[in-house]
Amino acid sequence: MRTRDVLMVMVFWIGGIVPTGAIAQDDTSVSVVAELARRSAFVGDDIVFQITVDGATRADRPSLRVPDGLRADFLGGRPRSSVFTQIVQGRVIERREEQYLLQYRVSAQRAGTYTIPGVDVVVDGKRLRTRPVTLEVREPSEAPGFSMRASVDRERVWVGEVVRVRVEWDVASEVSDVSFEATALPAAFGLLDSPQPATGGPTDRFEFTLRGRSVTAAVEPTASGVRVVFELRLVAQEAGIVELGPIAATFTTGDTRAGRERLIARSAPVSIEVRELPAAPPGFSGLIGTYTLGASLERQTANVGDPLRLAVRIGGAEPLLGQGRAPPLVLPEDFGGAFTLAPDGWQRRDGPAGSRVYETTVRANSVGVEALPGIELIVFDPRREGYVTLRTEEISLRIRS
């Protein structure tokens, strides 16, 4: 249902009496205007950027490019209809205005004066352009008593490997309007979903978003206040020496009587060396980490051609990247001759955290089949700095005619 805002403007004209009637007037011209909810902000603040399309009920989603130091996320678009009614000399004159609103969230990540360039908006095949708008971003004051620390589990990683960043933030007094959008995350890393904290009940947790990802932190009491602790998970995407951080929080302290102040707390940056993987062998699964592999059959006695459900379990620390579907499991060369595999291949099944379970159906082709051979999975183990072939144990079988 479209949003309908009705504004009634009643104008009375003293004059002769004329028969009343309704005249609808539609403005067929189309124009666009861009505006910010406010023209100044602090580092870490979010500001709504809106494009209003007058005279249209829809518009293509435009591409918004913002300067370095700002980040923009599309919030959505919606139509808005307004009806203006006037009574002039006894006649009712109705004017309808149609608009389409496009909104973005602009996050200020660094101080400076920024100009968001004009945006091309396509309406019914016609290209219109907004005027540029300017945003001034100021640096909050540094916050004594609000120290922040960041550490990583490893400072040398491989492309595709997960980096775990532990963040501790000491909070000396009550704060509000907390934002972590001023955090410097290099393009060489991708941000993943963060885990739930291991400690702290529902009342001892603090939730926030970073680059659109939900993060939950544990809140621990200290002698001088509280400590906010959380973990970020990043995946290395490019080789090189990369500086991660600083992790930064902007926030407001004080109350309305004593005056409120916008402050910032930053960690020191961390330098990480990201290395390219060596040339991969044929059949490499793409998995990087330390994993286990196991296999099981629903039963070990069957007749020739009976379906046997085969389950394979991959175990390892979360997140198991790329495991939304079964990896390329390497089967022995003689597997196809002794067994017939299900044509639909592997199917993902529910399993506990830290594991991925896949199932398929196999059928023994003759009474001479005595065992299900081991299944192989090739992974890259960072601890060994090389590729490792995991292999399941052979499963003995008794096949009857």
Side-chain angles (χ1 to χ4, degrees), residues 307-332:
L308 297 171
R309 189 167 63 247
L310 169 64
V312 172
R313 178 186 178 277
I314 302 171
E318 295 286 1
L320 277 72
L321 295 183
Q323 293 310 292
R325 56 183 180 179
L329 294 164
V330 179
L331 302 177

Side-chain angles (χ1 to χ4, degrees), residues 223-283:
S224 57
V226 297
R227 177 170 296 151
V228 178
V229 182
F230 58 92
E231 180 183 294
L232 299 178
R233 289 176 174 175
L234 309 170
V235 58
Q237 298 175 330
E238 299 175 11
I241 305 297
V242 182
E243 189 171 87
L244 173 61
I247 311 297
T250 54
F251 53 96
T252 300
T253 62
D255 55 38
T256 54
R257 292 171 299 175
R260 299 169 68 83
E261 185 177 12
R262 196 67 177 163
L263 301 174
I264 189 168
R266 290 188 176 94
S267 72
V270 180
S271 182
I272 300 176
E273 179 186 356
V274 182
R275 295 173 287 176
E276 289 280 7
L277 291 177

Side-chain angles (χ1 to χ4, degrees), residues 102-121:
L102 296 151
Q103 290 189 335
Y104 297 79
R105 179 179 57 244
V106 174
S107 302
Q109 297 175 331
R110 293 198 302 270
T113 299
Y114 299 96
T115 297
I116 299 176
V119 181
D120 289 330
V121 183

